[in-house]
Amino acid sequence: MTDASPSSATPDHGQIPAYAAQLNTPQKEAVLTTEGPVLMLAGAGTGKTAALTARLAHLVAMRKAWPSEILCVTFTNKAAREMRERVGRHIGDAVEGMPWLGTFHSIAAKMLRRHAELVGLKSNYTIIDTDDQLRLLKQLIRDQEVDEKRWPPRMLAGLLDRWKNRGLNPADLDAAENEAYANGLGQKFYQLYQDRLKELNACDFGDLLLHVLNIFRTHREVLNQYRQRFKYILVDEYQDTNAVQYLWLRLLAQERKNICVVGDDDQSIYSWRGAEVANILRFERDFPGAKVVKLEQNYRSTPQILAAASGLIDANSERLGKTLWTEIPNGDKVRVIGVWDAPEEARRVGEEIERLEREGAPLDEIAILVRAQYQTREFEDRFIQIGLNYRIIGGFRFYERAEIRDALAYLRVIAQPQDDLAFERIYNQPKRGLGAKTLEKMFQYSRASGLPLAAASLQLADSDELPKRAANTIGTLMRDFLRWREMEPQVTPSELLRTVLDESGYSAMLEAERSTEAAGRVENLSELARAMEEYESLGDFLEHVSLVMDNESRSDGEKVTIMTMHGAKGLEFNNVFLPGWEEGVFPSQRSLDEGGLASLEEERRLAYVAITRAKRRCTILHAANRRIYGQWNSSIPSRFVEELPDEFVDRETTMTGGASLWRANWSEEADPFAHVSKSRSDARGPGWQRALSTGYDTRQSVVKEPRRSAASFAARPRSDIALGSRVFHDKFGYGTVMAQEGNKLEINFEQAGTKRVIDSFVTLAD
């Protein structure tokens, strides 16, 4: 097989193969223009996957290259599988001979296996996961005697990922990057980390592309091998490439220049992952003479939705430009609804969904797309009240997120000290130095004594069974729980939660991480505290959580989809609701503070993506008041609302009358849970033992179970042990009982001296 002649750059439209017959004119042009650089600028819903797979099939069918001579890169394994299946339908078994169709990381890993020795590795190297990486970084930080709380491993891991995404080696870091960690130790830790990985014959995911890029740069013969091998290069979602991916591709494509990239600059929304929209914007400069084919016919949305989205994205300055159009008949205009606050927003969306359901709309074709994860909580709670099935896609449900489960576990132990599952979750969270052996000892004594885990831990802390440090730590924790339990009837549930998070050290733990993920967890906990303000007692709130969790366990029937805008990219729904379009929420204030104008344009691209997920109806909502970080804030509509062209938008507001109107519309009929008692239980008494007989069991049912009395938990002494008895203890050896108080013994051990132990841990000596 020989390379195609330059004349084939002009497609022959006289003979249209079957796999291109159903394509529109620009799609066919992108498929049949085989030679030279091609930018397929594909707008939302314009059939870019169909065009890309048809182009791949065409290259093989027309014998432009053997399947093994084509490099086709995707961003996800799912996209790679889908492309392989589609191409297989066109060219049959030939698709099995395409070893270079896959994700960036899978292809780079294959290359690195062949040339690992060039970067100091063996071909059987290991790819470590995030947990392994964090453990390794923790070791390095401790070895260098750096304060782990001030400079946490997760922060360093984030910096390493950022540097590798930008194609930077340790020696490439400038002064600012070096100062980003441990006051000027960034470069040192990067180098130590890379050296340690080589000792382990390992690399992380960021290394896969960076190592191959380094090989291409320093070993020209290897680069030339791949340049000769790959006659054609195809790249999907080019707008999402980061710097190292861009550099890797550019090196491979520079000789033949037969590279076709598919993407949409208006859908570049992943800068926080390292994606650089500039890569697609400068494609024509990187490859002079590149042919740009614009796919503008949309097969998804109505003209009104497309016009509204196009009018919005026109406000961005950094874009290549295109105009989406469709042959789909006219539909409803985009609706913009102003409401009083977030609870009314959730009620309004719920009412609209119920109306659509009555009209026959499937719930599976309805989606709520939010800017931030914490926004989902309001909708989850409301949908539980009205009995509307829903699912959370692309992330944890609000009450299933780790930080929320941790906070709820603290509250459950306060409400019901016999909740062993909750206590086990948080006894060492945040880290208190209580290891597996301590937990094993706690469980052992809990089973032997019949006491709940928390009560057993308290008794162990008052003995010599545990190391002194562990005993002191547990004793402090138990005193904290006692104080929080006594505080509970005197404060609101949200005040109690904030106190617990601060005094337990949980808030400080998240603040020390100083990462985007930690900031999101802080937001979620603030939203949890805000949610609790609607309940007068801790018990009422925990009952509500149980109802939510019970709903989430059901998997039958159709459900409304709730997800983030980022997670919705590539999906489509007949009906889309977009809540929270206020300044500070969307566009995100944090994004604006960190990235300025560039972040604003990315936020606008995210708005464009969100609107174009809708096929038939799109509804945008904004609230005049919203609670953020526990504080009421008067909100103004997002600038994106004002940028929507009026001729394609219906605007309405339900805010007239303000809060009084909102409260007047609230009734028991509207809220099926309004009859639930809000009285706070006063059945609290001082002391741990009395506290054991109170609380709520929310693990499986909202029905309060009969409580065991405090007397049933009293420590009973063993009848077979008396003063002067000779006993044996696994830890302290043989000794003589000198005193006895309940189930606690004072024993003079032959080797360890006098110790206080619990009677269930000793046996009578022969």
Side-chain angles (χ1 to χ4, degrees):
M1 184 183 300
T2 59
D3 291 345
S5 65
S7 62
S8 63
T10 302
D12 179 4
H13 295 289
Q15 300 262 339
I16 302 298
Y19 46 77
Q22 301 302 315
L23 302 180
N24 61 37
T25 300
Q27 287 174 324
K28 290 175 183 174
E29 186 176 15
V31 169
L32 301 176
T33 303
T34 59
E35 305 309 303
V38 176
L39 169 59
M40 198 188 306
L41 194 60
T46 57
K48 59 103 175 173
T49 303
L52 185 62
T53 52
R55 178 183 174 88
L56 186 55
H58 181 67
L59 293 173
V60 176
M62 295 293 104
R63 299 189 177 182
K64 295 289 184 180
W66 296 108
S68 61
E69 295 175 324
I70 300 173
L71 172 64
C72 183
V73 188
T74 66
F75 266 83
T76 66
N77 289 316
K78 178 182 178 183
R81 286 194 300 270
E82 181 181 357
M83 187 165 295
R84 190 175 292 275
E85 290 169 2
R86 288 197 184 198
V87 173
R89 288 196 288 269
H90 295 317
I91 63 175
D93 292 341
V95 73
E96 298 304 321
M98 303 189 72
W100 301 103
L101 191 167
T103 65
F104 276 101
H105 288 103
S106 67
I107 291 172
K110 187 177 297 185
M111 291 178 174
L112 187 57
R113 295 282 179 201
R114 299 183 176 193
H115 311 285
E117 72 282 354
L118 298 179
V119 289
L121 297 174
K122 298 177 182 178
S123 60
N124 63 340
Y125 64 82
T126 300
I127 304 172
I128 65 171
D129 60 20
T130 302
D131 288 342
D132 290 335
Q133 182 189 39
L134 291 175
R135 279 196 293 271
L136 176 54
L137 292 176
K138 191 171 186 177
Q139 292 172 8
L140 294 176
I141 292 169
R142 288 180 175 177
D143 289 345
Q144 296 300 309
E145 298 182 349
V146 169
D147 185 353
E148 183 182 334
K149 291 184 178 179
R150 186 179 179 190
W151 304 101
R154 196 173 296 276
M155 178 186 180
L156 181 54
L159 289 170
L160 291 169
D161 185 59
R162 187 178 78 187
W163 294 332
K164 292 181 180 184
N165 284 342
R166 292 169 56 194
L168 300 177
N169 295 291
D172 300 324
L173 298 189
D174 59 24
E177 294 291 356
N178 189 38
E179 289 290 332
Y181 187 78
N183 298 324
L185 296 179
Q187 186 180 65
K188 178 179 181 179
F189 272 102
Y190 189 177
Q191 189 62 61
L192 287 171
Y193 175 64
Q194 294 301 102
D195 291 343
R196 181 63 177 137
L197 285 176
K198 287 183 181 179
E199 292 173 4
L200 297 171
N201 191 36
C203 63
D204 60 28
F205 281 97
D207 284 323
L208 295 175
L209 277 156
L210 183 59
H211 280 328
V212 174
L213 179 62
N214 288 333
I215 291 171
F216 286 171
R217 284 168 163 171
T218 57
H219 296 82
R220 196 76 177 182
E221 71 282 3
V222 176
L223 175 61
N224 287 334
Q225 288 176 22
Y226 288 104
R227 282 180 170 179
Q228 290 300 311
R229 171 181 289 276
F230 298 133
K231 293 184 176 180
Y232 294 92
I233 299 174
L234 290 78
V235 188
D236 193 13
E237 304 287 7
Y238 191 66
Q239 78 281 348
D240 293 333
T241 54
N242 59 32
V244 71
Q245 292 163 344
Y246 163 80
L247 293 170
W248 181 79
L249 285 167
R250 195 176 65 172
L251 280 174
L252 286 171
Q254 278 302 320
E255 185 169 307
R256 294 179 182 271
K257 294 185 172 57
N258 285 338
I259 180 172
C260 174
V261 302
V262 185
D264 182 4
D265 55 315
D266 290 336
Q267 296 188 73
S268 180
I269 58 174
Y270 295 121
S271 67
W272 47 279
R273 292 181 183 170
E276 296 188 10
V277 67
N279 294 345
I280 192 171
L281 295 177
R282 65 181 171 220
F283 183 81
E284 292 177 88
R285 294 198 299 272
D286 288 336
F287 298 96
K291 185 175 187 60
V292 179
V293 180
K294 295 184 179 182
L295 305 187
E296 297 174 303
Q297 182 177 358
N298 179 281
Y299 295 94
R300 175 190 298 156
S301 306
T302 64
Q304 286 80 2
I305 291 172
L306 294 180
S310 296
L312 172 64
I313 200 63
D314 276 344
N316 270 9
S317 59
E318 293 293 326
R319 59 188 300 260
L320 297 172
K322 59 189 171 303
T323 303
L324 297 184
W325 61 277
T326 184
E327 295 179 347
I328 296 173
N330 284 339
D332 297 337
K333 292 183 177 182
V334 172
R335 298 172 67 197
V336 176
I337 301 175
V339 296
W340 177 249
D341 60 7
E344 183 182 351
E345 181 180 63
R347 288 196 299 276
R348 183 63 186 268
V349 171
E351 291 168 0
E352 293 288 332
I353 292 175
E354 288 181 311
R355 177 182 61 79
L356 289 170
E357 190 177 22
R358 288 193 298 271
E359 294 173 359
L363 292 183
D364 287 342
E365 282 294 329
I366 300 174
I368 300 170
L369 309 183
V370 298
R371 174 61 181 88
Q373 287 279 5
Y374 72 84
Q375 291 176 261
T376 67
R377 201 276 311 168
E378 202 80 60
F379 295 98
E380 293 184 68
D381 286 358
R382 182 59 186 168
F383 292 173
I384 289 297
Q385 292 180 356
I386 65 177
L388 187 64
N389 285 343
Y390 68 90
R391 66 169 67 89
I392 303 290
I393 299 294
F396 291 107
R397 299 170 175 88
F398 184 80
Y399 292 107
E400 285 186 348
R401 293 171 185 132
E403 65 276 7
I404 301 300
R405 283 189 171 273
D406 289 342
L408 292 175
Y410 272 102
L411 297 175
R412 283 165 54 185
V413 175
I414 292 170
Q416 182 166 312
Q418 55 265 53
D419 192 334
D420 287 356
L421 294 177
F423 183 76
E424 182 183 355
R425 182 180 181 89
I426 50 82
Y427 83 100
N428 196 37
Q429 180 70 349
K431 301 297 183 185
R432 299 184 173 92
L434 301 175
K437 290 184 178 179
T438 301
L439 182 62
E440 181 182 354
K441 181 75 76 172
M442 288 156 53
F443 268 119
Q444 182 182 353
Y445 181 59
S446 174
R447 290 190 296 268
S449 63
L451 287 171
L453 194 59
S457 303
L458 181 66
Q459 291 200 9
L460 279 175
D462 193 31
S463 74
D464 293 320
E465 298 291 346
L466 296 174
K468 187 174 182 179
R469 181 179 176 183
N472 290 339
T473 300
I474 291 174
T476 299
L477 180 61
M478 294 300 100
R479 287 190 293 274
D480 287 342
F481 271 113
L482 179 58
R483 185 177 67 259
W484 297 330
R485 188 168 297 106
E486 292 173 344
M487 179 191 302
E488 189 264 325
Q490 312 301 325
V491 299
T492 65
S494 61
E495 290 171 338
L496 178 64
L497 174 64
R498 292 187 180 100
T499 299
V500 170
L501 293 176
D502 287 341
E503 295 184 355
S504 67
Y506 200 94
S507 295
M509 175 189 72
L510 293 181
E511 290 169 2
E513 286 190 20
R514 292 188 288 182
S515 66
T516 303
E517 294 80 4
R521 296 185 188 107
V522 171
E523 285 183 354
N524 289 336
L525 290 170
S526 295
E527 179 62 16
L528 178 65
R530 200 212 67 74
M532 294 178 70
E533 291 175 358
E534 302 173 16
Y535 298 85
E536 293 188 16
S537 76
L538 179 58
D540 288 340
F541 175 71
L542 292 176
E543 285 183 351
H544 170 73
V545 173
S546 293
L547 285 172
V548 174
M549 300 300 284
D550 178 65
N551 173 81
E552 291 170 352
S553 66
R554 303 173 194 160
S555 59
D556 55 315
E558 294 182 347
K559 296 185 178 183
V560 175
T561 297
I562 306 175
M563 64 192 310
T564 65
M565 296 174 183
H566 284 99
K569 185 173 179 292
L571 302 179
E572 58 186 41
F573 304 89
N574 281 338
N575 301 282
V576 171
F577 293 89
L578 305 175
W581 281 44
E582 303 114 36
E583 287 294 306
V585 177
F586 188 48
S588 160
Q589 190 61 50
R590 189 169 66 204
S591 293
L592 298 184
D593 292 343
E594 294 175 355
L597 179 60
S599 288
L600 172 61
E601 296 216 340
E602 178 160 328
E603 290 284 289
R604 190 176 285 113
R605 292 194 293 269
L606 184 58
Y608 170 83
V609 167
I611 293 172
T612 54
R613 299 311 95 194
K615 296 163 66 175
R616 297 294 174 263
R617 300 177 191 86
C618 179
T619 302
I620 297 169
L621 300 100
H622 59 88
N625 303 279
R626 191 175 294 273
R627 213 128 189 211
I628 301 176
Y629 295 114
Q631 300 293 323
W632 277 108
N633 292 280
S634 295
S635 304
I636 61 173
S638 167
R639 69 192 75 190
F640 302 153
V641 170
E642 301 304 316
E643 291 169 357
L644 294 169
D646 287 334
E647 59 268 36
F648 305 111
V649 176
D650 277 332
R651 303 176 191 267
E652 67 173 274
T653 180
T654 62
M655 293 184 289
T656 50
S660 59
L661 175 63
W662 164 55
R663 292 191 179 95
N665 289 334
W666 184 258
S667 66
E668 286 195 10
E669 183 177 358
D671 178 11
F673 287 170
H675 67 279
V676 176
S677 171
K678 301 296 184 183
S679 63
R680 181 181 286 114
S681 172
D682 292 323
R684 300 287 191 272
W688 179 266
Q689 294 296 335
R690 183 176 296 182
L692 284 170
S693 65
T694 64
Y696 303 92
D697 188 334
T698 61
R699 283 171 289 176
Q700 297 177 352
S701 172
V702 299
V703 179
K704 297 182 179 66
E705 299 177 348
R707 311 293 188 265
R708 292 178 63 183
S709 67
S712 68
F713 289 118
R716 295 184 173 87
R718 285 174 53 175
S719 59
D720 59 338
I721 292 181
L723 295 179
S725 296
R726 191 165 186 267
V727 295
F728 178 79
H729 188 281
D730 286 339
K731 179 179 179 181
F732 303 123
Y734 289 97
T736 303
V737 177
M738 306 301 295
Q740 186 173 14
E741 180 183 350
N743 68 335
K744 292 188 178 63
L745 305 174
E746 184 176 313
I747 301 175
N748 183 17
F749 289 99
E750 296 171 2
Q751 301 296 326
T754 301
K755 301 288 184 182
R756 294 187 71 204
V757 302
I758 297 169
D759 57 15
S760 61
F761 284 90
V762 301
T763 57
L764 285 171
D766 295 334

